[in-house]
Amino acid sequence: MRILVLGGTWFLGKEIVTGARRRGWEVTTFNRGRSGPDAPGVEAIHGDRTDAAALSHLAAAGPWDAVVDTSSGELPPRDVLLAARALAGQVGRWVHVSTVSVYADWPHHTLTEASPVLDCPPDADNTFGYTGADGSPTRYGFQKAGGERAVAEALGDRAVFLRPGVILGPGEYVGRLPWWLTRAARGGRILAPSPANQRIQPVDVRDVAAFALDQAAEAAGEAFNIAHPDGPTFAEFITGCLNVTGGAGRPLWTSPEDLARHGVTQWTELPLWRTHAGVWAVDSSRAMAAGLRCRPLRETIADTWAWLQADGRPVAHPRWDLHGIAPEKEAKILASLGGE
């Protein structure tokens, strides 16, 4: 098996490369060479995927049985289309890492793969779409939906779409789980969003990588929601963070109304907290039937803490600084609520 990984040097892309090499596959990576070192044992080609000449040079290194695209990130659909068209004749299959944000109903309603997807042209630029007043839909979701359409236009039924919600684990660059871990380690009263029994569905980066590789070796194209089918409650999540860090923290479970009254921003100031009914109601049964296996989140928590303690350094990313409530703001809220 010979695969091309667009990206391949950090977080999910790095895990996909590691997993492919473990399976004995030949791996080519394509990236700008800025986000991390090339993995040993791969054919590393450097270039900008938005540059037609660089893509032509890359295509000449083919063919590949499959490509796994982990680097479309913030790219507009037209740039995804450029790469998909340039490589379509050199790959047997395209595994495209997308997001649940492509769904028009997220995060308001339960999602299946049959849920409607936002409408965005495959050649749209980065101005297409909008973000709703309540934070949904998002321009990001429109852009990612357009990226899916771009790949589908170029690859047809050879395209596979993976739609994860939240991915956590060692190497995380967004900063959600690292923030909760460092907050737990600091101890004291911890501002926590109720209800404590709210179940959450993050998946481990290594499990997403394994499923992506399984799909790269398959024959038919399909879309899959990637979410933990048996995720922990928020209380279990915070307890897990306290246990692995040894923090002497005590959560103060606070109502959404009180958090809103104090101006706490959902999803970022308290990572993973959002009040919309469908945010953690993603049906992943199709992926489970196709082989997705999700380890208990306590393993993800423990391994991420071990990575941080071993001087884990995520790739610098602007989203990291968006996550986590400022200690001064948290202390003020806790004091007003009777926390000590």
Side-chain angles (χ1 to χ4, degrees), residues 176-190 237-251 301 304-306 308-309 330:
R176 295 183 176 108
L177 178 52
W179 184 82
W180 277 111
L181 285 164
T182 55
R183 178 62 191 90
R186 196 166 78 238
R189 292 288 262 172
I190 299 173
F237 171 76
I238 292 179
T239 297
C241 291
L242 289 166
N243 287 343
V244 301
T245 62
R250 292 167 294 154
I301 292 169
T304 302
W305 180 243
L308 289 170
Q309 291 299 99
E330 182 189 23

Side-chain angles (χ1 to χ4, degrees), residues 30-32 34 46-55 75 82:
F30 182 70
N31 53 65
R32 293 176 298 174
R34 299 177 184 175
H46 291 163
D48 187 337
R49 61 175 291 168
T50 67
D51 178 65
L55 289 169
L75 291 178
L82 180 70

